Amino acid sequence: MISRFKPDSGATAMFASIAFFFAALVLGGGSRLELAGPILLRLIAIGALVWLLWNGAMRGVGLPKFAYVFWAGLLLLPLIQLIPLPWWLWTRFPGREVVVEMYQALGVTPMQPISLAPERTVNAFFALIPVVTAFFLTLRLDNAGREKSIAWIITATVISAVLGLLQVVSGPGSVLYIYAITNGDASVGLFSNANHHSLFLCAGIVLIFHWMSAKIRLNRQLPQTELAMGGLALLCLLTSVVATLSRAGVLFAIVAVLVGLTFIPINMLRISRMRFWGIAAGVFLFATAVFSVMFFSRIFGTADEGGILQDGRIDNLWVFGRMIADFFPIGSGLGTFDPVYRLYETAGEIDLTYLNNAHNDGAQILLEGGLWGGLLLIMFLGWYGAQTLSVLRVSSENMVRVTQRRAMCAIIGLALAHSLVDYPLRTGAFSVLFGMCAAMLMYQPPSSGRQRAGSTKA
């Protein structure tokens, strides 16, 4: 039965990719360990990965060896951190002094893995499976399948945006909030965290501009129906971003719009560049004025309240630096940030809230993954920088495909920027979208004869 639905079939590949994306969106909107949804998502991801391996779908896609090295290194890191080591070796690793003293007081010297919280590292390993699955599922899509997938992703962002607005209208405690622990006064849509929802909506904004750009290039103009649909979708997403009350979300939405505007082939709209950008600037200034009057102080805070400058995530950076130095180069183990951070909290910092993640993925990767994690991070950032430069230089190929890759660059860039102050990639939903974007950016399937004939170089 499994061999009938091979990934090499265009329709099957697209169905599998989109079905998995929606499963991630429904089940993976939260990141807490006790949630059942992420566990079910990981089981689905494992099944999809087995399906791909069974059909040999990971071979013959033209991926560079770098990609296989990166994914292998990413998956091996937590597994190696779980290997029990002899006491004499483990005690030589930095950062274990408190635990060593505890065992010595008990008079025992057991074998220990690198990870200080093995059960959390096991969880971290399985949390990586969905993004790997999304990456390799998306590689099987042809150009038409990718554009259809983008249309479905846009649809998902609009659904989440509408749900978020209904949540705000319904008020705190509404049954429309999917997760028990959530931002009960903001638009969270299918997510548990308003910040993560805002980033998801920003990704949708970028994709809407790409979608409209593709319609213009293929039709030599923007049909009125597509213009109305795109405009309404943008309005819905932007309104819902503001309703998330997310500082980063509002700032990233502005960036998403500005980047998206560069996708539009103005020369095909029968309008001068000056007039186009003049209209865009006028709309932007009007929207900024309305936003400033109605929402600015609530989202960004006032001077008396301190606003962004007194955000605890900034104050914690020096603590993270100490933690990284204490555990480098071995690391504390993937997923161990919470228990390790508690060892560094001062009495004045302890309250009813807790820091489940660093809200800075770069710092958390260096703490938990040590030198190995740092090298993986450098590999990814180096690849992303090279891909971004290459796609920005291209101007003479099929521009629908070029703008698609530029959109992927923008979404990945927004996610990386947001990861400096939050942890959106630790949710199954956004990690799957991230994996899909990385696949579309890294590998371009060959064009069919029909696609080449209909391509546009303008």
Side-chain angles (χ1 to χ4, degrees):
M1 177 66 72
I2 193 170
S3 61
R4 291 185 181 181
F5 303 100
K6 292 188 175 181
D8 289 330
S9 166
T12 302
M14 188 188 73
F15 174 79
S17 180
I18 293 303
F20 183 66
F21 167 74
F22 273 93
L25 192 59
V26 172
L27 301 171
S31 60
R32 297 176 65 87
L33 296 178
E34 65 271 21
L35 294 175
I39 296 175
L40 182 55
L41 172 62
R42 294 167 193 177
L43 292 175
I44 295 172
I46 292 171
L49 207 54
V50 169
W51 174 65
L52 288 171
L53 289 168
W54 181 277
N55 289 282
M58 292 189 181
R59 300 192 303 268
V61 293
L63 278 183
K65 291 182 179 179
F66 159 85
Y68 293 108
V69 171
F70 175 81
W71 287 118
L74 185 63
L75 292 175
L76 283 174
L77 174 57
L79 295 179
I80 290 176
Q81 291 178 332
L82 290 170
I83 298 175
L85 300 173
W87 177 259
W88 66 265
L89 176 61
W90 183 79
T91 55
R92 285 172 168 75
F93 293 156
R96 272 73 184 170
E97 293 79 11
V98 174
V99 183
V100 169
E101 292 177 2
M102 180 187 70
Y103 278 117
Q104 287 177 340
L106 294 173
V108 294
T109 56
M111 295 183 68
Q112 290 289 316
I114 290 174
S115 173
L116 294 178
E119 70 286 353
R120 289 176 174 268
T121 302
V122 170
N123 177 74
F125 169 76
F126 284 106
L128 295 172
I129 302 298
V131 66
V132 177
T133 302
F135 179 84
F136 284 99
L137 278 175
T138 305
L139 286 181
R140 310 311 307 178
L141 298 178
D142 56 19
N143 289 311
R146 292 185 179 197
E147 288 300 318
K148 290 178 181 177
S149 296
I150 287 172
W152 278 109
I153 294 172
I154 293 172
T155 302
T157 62
V158 173
I159 292 173
S160 192
V162 171
L163 176 60
L165 292 173
L166 291 175
Q167 290 165 342
V168 174
V169 171
S170 300
S174 169
V175 295
L176 296 177
Y177 285 99
I178 298 174
Y179 295 89
I181 299 179
T182 187
N183 301 101
D185 61 343
S187 164
V188 297
L190 294 168
F191 290 76
S192 65
N193 185 295
N195 291 317
H196 303 163
H197 185 225
S198 70
L199 182 62
F200 181 64
L201 299 180
C202 290
I205 291 170
V206 172
L207 293 178
I208 288 172
F209 276 106
H210 161 68
W211 177 78
M212 290 196 295
S213 170
K215 294 296 181 182
I216 294 172
R217 294 183 189 281
L218 294 175
N219 295 281
R220 310 298 296 185
Q221 62 179 354
L222 183 60
Q224 295 299 315
T225 301
E226 278 78 359
L227 175 62
M229 291 174 59
L232 287 174
L234 280 174
L235 180 61
C236 178
L237 265 60
L238 287 169
T239 305
S240 197
V241 166
V242 173
T244 64
L245 304 179
S246 167
R247 299 165 179 171
V250 171
L251 296 176
F252 290 154
I254 295 173
V255 174
V257 170
L258 293 176
V259 171
L261 286 172
T262 66
F263 298 162
I264 304 298
I266 302 172
N267 58 315
M268 294 184 181
L269 294 178
R270 300 173 185 174
I271 184 175
S272 67
R273 288 182 178 275
M274 183 175 294
R275 186 179 179 188
F276 175 83
W277 287 108
I279 294 173
V283 172
F284 175 78
L285 290 174
F286 175 76
T288 301
V290 173
F291 170 80
S292 298
V293 172
M294 299 181 65
F295 302 102
F296 186 88
S297 62
R298 184 177 180 188
I299 296 176
F300 290 94
T302 64
D304 294 336
E305 295 168 346
I308 295 176
L309 296 180
Q310 291 186 3
D311 194 313
R313 284 171 280 198
I314 298 175
D315 296 335
N316 286 326
L317 289 179
W318 71 274
V319 180
F320 299 158
R322 282 178 50 211
M323 294 166 66
I324 293 168
D326 289 348
F327 284 90
F328 198 81
I330 302 301
S332 61
L334 295 192
T336 62
F337 172 83
D338 181 19
V340 171
Y341 177 73
R342 298 185 190 196
L343 299 175
Y344 288 78
E345 279 186 305
T346 63
E349 295 172 336
I350 298 176
D351 54 27
L352 295 178
T353 64
Y354 72 99
L355 205 62
N356 59 331
N357 285 291
H359 292 77
N360 184 313
D361 267 343
Q364 189 161 340
I365 289 170
L366 290 174
L367 167 66
E368 298 178 345
L371 179 61
W372 189 326
L375 291 175
L376 288 173
L377 181 60
I378 292 172
M379 286 177 66
F380 180 83
L381 293 177
W383 166 79
Y384 174 69
Q387 292 294 317
T388 302
L389 290 176
S390 68
V391 80
L392 289 177
R393 290 172 180 169
V394 174
S395 59
S396 60
E397 295 183 2
N398 181 332
M399 289 305 295
V400 172
R401 296 175 65 179
V402 170
T403 56
Q404 180 193 99
R405 296 186 68 209
R406 289 177 178 173
M408 301 305 118
C409 274
I411 293 172
I412 292 174
L414 289 172
L416 293 176
H418 199 188
S419 295
L420 293 175
V421 294
D422 213 315
Y423 50 96
L425 296 178
R426 295 179 185 273
T427 64
F430 204 91
S431 70
V432 165
L433 177 59
F434 191 87
M436 296 176 72
C437 291
M440 292 189 198
L441 179 58
M442 171 171 277
Y443 174 71
Q444 288 292 298
S447 297
S448 65
R450 180 180 179 183
Q451 289 167 326
R452 283 195 299 270
S455 66
T456 298
K457 297 183 179 181

Short mmCIF file of all heavy atoms in Angstrom, two decimals, residues 17-47:
data_model
loop_
_atom_site.label_atom_id
_atom_site.label_comp_id
_atom_site.label_asym_id
_atom_site.label_seq_id
_atom_site.Cartn_x
_atom_site.Cartn_y
_atom_site.Cartn_z
N SER A 17 3.03 17.30 1.69
CA SER A 17 3.66 18.49 2.26
C SER A 17 2.63 19.40 2.92
O SER A 17 2.81 19.85 4.06
CB SER A 17 4.42 19.26 1.17
OG SER A 17 5.04 20.40 1.69
N ILE A 18 1.53 19.68 2.23
CA ILE A 18 0.51 20.57 2.77
C ILE A 18 -0.22 19.92 3.94
O ILE A 18 -0.53 20.59 4.95
CB ILE A 18 -0.49 20.97 1.67
CG1 ILE A 18 0.22 21.84 0.65
CG2 ILE A 18 -1.67 21.72 2.24
CD1 ILE A 18 0.85 23.09 1.23
N ALA A 19 -0.50 18.63 3.84
CA ALA A 19 -1.18 17.94 4.95
C ALA A 19 -0.31 17.99 6.20
O ALA A 19 -0.81 18.22 7.31
CB ALA A 19 -1.47 16.49 4.56
N PHE A 20 0.98 17.81 6.02
CA PHE A 20 1.89 17.86 7.17
C PHE A 20 1.96 19.27 7.75
O PHE A 20 2.00 19.44 8.97
CB PHE A 20 3.28 17.38 6.77
CG PHE A 20 4.25 17.31 7.91
CD1 PHE A 20 4.06 16.41 8.95
CD2 PHE A 20 5.34 18.16 7.96
CE1 PHE A 20 4.94 16.37 10.03
CE2 PHE A 20 6.22 18.12 9.02
CZ PHE A 20 6.02 17.21 10.06
N PHE A 21 1.97 20.28 6.88
CA PHE A 21 2.00 21.66 7.36
C PHE A 21 0.77 21.97 8.20
O PHE A 21 0.87 22.57 9.28
CB PHE A 21 2.08 22.62 6.17
CG PHE A 21 1.80 24.05 6.54
CD1 PHE A 21 2.73 24.80 7.23
CD2 PHE A 21 0.58 24.65 6.20
CE1 PHE A 21 2.47 26.12 7.60
CE2 PHE A 21 0.31 25.96 6.55
CZ PHE A 21 1.26 26.70 7.25
N PHE A 22 -0.41 21.58 7.72
CA PHE A 22 -1.63 21.86 8.49
C PHE A 22 -1.67 21.05 9.78
O PHE A 22 -2.19 21.52 10.80
CB PHE A 22 -2.87 21.59 7.63
CG PHE A 22 -3.28 22.76 6.79
CD1 PHE A 22 -2.83 22.89 5.49
CD2 PHE A 22 -4.09 23.75 7.31
CE1 PHE A 22 -3.20 23.99 4.71
CE2 PHE A 22 -4.46 24.85 6.56
CZ PHE A 22 -4.01 24.97 5.25
N ALA A 23 -1.13 19.84 9.76
CA ALA A 23 -1.05 19.06 11.00
C ALA A 23 -0.18 19.78 12.01
O ALA A 23 -0.50 19.84 13.20
CB ALA A 23 -0.50 17.67 10.71
N ALA A 24 0.93 20.34 11.53
CA ALA A 24 1.83 21.09 12.42
C ALA A 24 1.15 22.33 12.96
O ALA A 24 1.32 22.69 14.14
CB ALA A 24 3.11 21.47 11.66
N LEU A 25 0.36 22.99 12.12
CA LEU A 25 -0.31 24.22 12.55
C LEU A 25 -1.36 23.93 13.62
O LEU A 25 -1.51 24.67 14.59
CB LEU A 25 -0.94 24.89 11.34
CG LEU A 25 -1.44 26.32 11.53
CD1 LEU A 25 -0.30 27.24 11.96
CD2 LEU A 25 -2.05 26.84 10.23
N VAL A 26 -2.08 22.82 13.45
CA VAL A 26 -3.15 22.47 14.39
C VAL A 26 -2.58 21.90 15.69
O VAL A 26 -3.08 22.19 16.78
CB VAL A 26 -4.12 21.46 13.74
CG1 VAL A 26 -5.12 20.93 14.77
CG2 VAL A 26 -4.86 22.10 12.58
N LEU A 27 -1.50 21.11 15.58
CA LEU A 27 -0.98 20.40 16.74
C LEU A 27 0.24 21.06 17.38
O LEU A 27 0.56 20.78 18.53
CB LEU A 27 -0.59 18.96 16.34
CG LEU A 27 -1.71 18.09 15.79
CD1 LEU A 27 -1.13 16.78 15.25
CD2 LEU A 27 -2.75 17.81 16.86
N GLY A 28 0.92 21.93 16.64
CA GLY A 28 2.20 22.43 17.10
C GLY A 28 2.25 23.91 17.38
O GLY A 28 3.32 24.52 17.26
N GLY A 29 1.14 24.50 17.79
CA GLY A 29 1.14 25.93 18.07
C GLY A 29 1.74 26.30 19.42
O GLY A 29 1.97 27.47 19.70
N GLY A 30 1.99 25.30 20.26
CA GLY A 30 2.59 25.54 21.57
C GLY A 30 3.92 24.84 21.69
O GLY A 30 4.26 23.97 20.88
N SER A 31 4.69 25.18 22.71
CA SER A 31 6.02 24.59 22.87
C SER A 31 6.24 23.96 24.23
O SER A 31 7.32 23.46 24.51
CB SER A 31 7.10 25.66 22.65
OG SER A 31 6.96 26.72 23.59
N ARG A 32 5.24 23.97 25.08
CA ARG A 32 5.40 23.44 26.43
C ARG A 32 5.53 21.91 26.40
O ARG A 32 4.91 21.23 25.58
CB ARG A 32 4.22 23.84 27.31
CG ARG A 32 4.12 25.35 27.50
CD ARG A 32 2.87 25.71 28.30
NE ARG A 32 2.93 25.20 29.64
CZ ARG A 32 3.50 25.83 30.67
NH1 ARG A 32 4.05 27.03 30.48
NH2 ARG A 32 3.51 25.30 31.87
N LEU A 33 6.32 21.37 27.33
CA LEU A 33 6.63 19.95 27.33
C LEU A 33 5.41 19.08 27.58
O LEU A 33 5.33 17.95 27.10
CB LEU A 33 7.69 19.65 28.40
CG LEU A 33 9.06 20.29 28.21
CD1 LEU A 33 9.97 19.93 29.38
CD2 LEU A 33 9.69 19.86 26.90
N GLU A 34 4.44 19.60 28.35
CA GLU A 34 3.32 18.75 28.77
C GLU A 34 2.19 18.70 27.74
O GLU A 34 1.19 18.01 27.94
CB GLU A 34 2.77 19.23 30.11
CG GLU A 34 2.14 20.62 30.07
CD GLU A 34 3.14 21.73 30.35
OE1 GLU A 34 4.35 21.48 30.18
OE2 GLU A 34 2.72 22.83 30.74
N LEU A 35 2.31 19.42 26.64
CA LEU A 35 1.24 19.43 25.64
C LEU A 35 1.22 18.12 24.84
O LEU A 35 2.27 17.60 24.46
CB LEU A 35 1.41 20.61 24.70
CG LEU A 35 1.24 22.01 25.31
CD1 LEU A 35 1.55 23.09 24.29
CD2 LEU A 35 -0.18 22.18 25.86
N ALA A 36 0.03 17.62 24.55
CA ALA A 36 -0.09 16.37 23.79
C ALA A 36 0.05 16.61 22.30
O ALA A 36 0.50 15.72 21.56
CB ALA A 36 -1.44 15.72 24.10
N GLY A 37 -0.35 17.81 21.82
CA GLY A 37 -0.30 18.09 20.39
C GLY A 37 1.07 17.90 19.77
O GLY A 37 1.21 17.20 18.75
N PRO A 38 2.14 18.50 20.34
CA PRO A 38 3.47 18.31 19.76
C PRO A 38 3.91 16.85 19.72
O PRO A 38 4.63 16.44 18.80
CB PRO A 38 4.36 19.13 20.71
CG PRO A 38 3.46 20.19 21.24
CD PRO A 38 2.13 19.51 21.41
N ILE A 39 3.49 16.06 20.70
CA ILE A 39 3.85 14.64 20.70
C ILE A 39 3.22 13.94 19.51
O ILE A 39 3.87 13.17 18.79
CB ILE A 39 3.41 13.97 22.02
CG1 ILE A 39 4.17 14.60 23.19
CG2 ILE A 39 3.64 12.47 21.97
CD1 ILE A 39 3.71 14.10 24.54
N LEU A 40 1.94 14.22 19.26
CA LEU A 40 1.25 13.63 18.12
C LEU A 40 1.89 14.10 16.81
O LEU A 40 2.05 13.32 15.87
CB LEU A 40 -0.24 14.00 18.15
CG LEU A 40 -1.11 13.42 17.04
CD1 LEU A 40 -1.00 11.91 17.00
CD2 LEU A 40 -2.56 13.84 17.23
N LEU A 41 2.27 15.38 16.74
CA LEU A 41 2.93 15.90 15.55
C LEU A 41 4.23 15.16 15.28
O LEU A 41 4.55 14.83 14.13
CB LEU A 41 3.20 17.40 15.72
CG LEU A 41 4.05 18.06 14.62
CD1 LEU A 41 3.35 17.96 13.26
CD2 LEU A 41 4.34 19.51 14.97
N ARG A 42 4.98 14.88 16.32
CA ARG A 42 6.26 14.18 16.14
C ARG A 42 6.04 12.75 15.64
O ARG A 42 6.82 12.24 14.83
CB ARG A 42 7.03 14.18 17.46
CG ARG A 42 7.47 15.57 17.87
CD ARG A 42 7.95 15.62 19.31
NE ARG A 42 8.06 16.99 19.77
CZ ARG A 42 8.40 17.34 21.00
NH1 ARG A 42 8.68 16.40 21.89
NH2 ARG A 42 8.48 18.62 21.34
N LEU A 43 4.98 12.11 16.12
CA LEU A 43 4.67 10.77 15.63
C LEU A 43 4.32 10.80 14.15
O LEU A 43 4.74 9.94 13.37
CB LEU A 43 3.51 10.18 16.44
CG LEU A 43 3.81 9.87 17.92
CD1 LEU A 43 2.53 9.41 18.62
CD2 LEU A 43 4.90 8.81 18.03
N ILE A 44 3.55 11.80 13.75
CA ILE A 44 3.21 11.96 12.33
C ILE A 44 4.48 12.23 11.52
O ILE A 44 4.67 11.68 10.42
CB ILE A 44 2.20 13.10 12.14
CG1 ILE A 44 0.87 12.75 12.81
CG2 ILE A 44 1.99 13.40 10.65
CD1 ILE A 44 -0.12 13.90 12.83
N ALA A 45 5.37 13.06 12.07
CA ALA A 45 6.62 13.39 11.38
C ALA A 45 7.50 12.16 11.20
O ALA A 45 8.09 11.95 10.14
CB ALA A 45 7.38 14.47 12.15
N ILE A 46 7.56 11.34 12.22
CA ILE A 46 8.35 10.10 12.12
C ILE A 46 7.77 9.20 11.05
O ILE A 46 8.49 8.61 10.24
CB ILE A 46 8.40 9.38 13.49
CG1 ILE A 46 9.22 10.21 14.48
CG2 ILE A 46 8.99 7.99 13.34
CD1 ILE A 46 9.15 9.70 15.90
N GLY A 47 6.43 9.09 11.02
CA GLY A 47 5.79 8.27 9.99
C GLY A 47 6.08 8.79 8.59
O GLY A 47 6.37 8.00 7.67
#
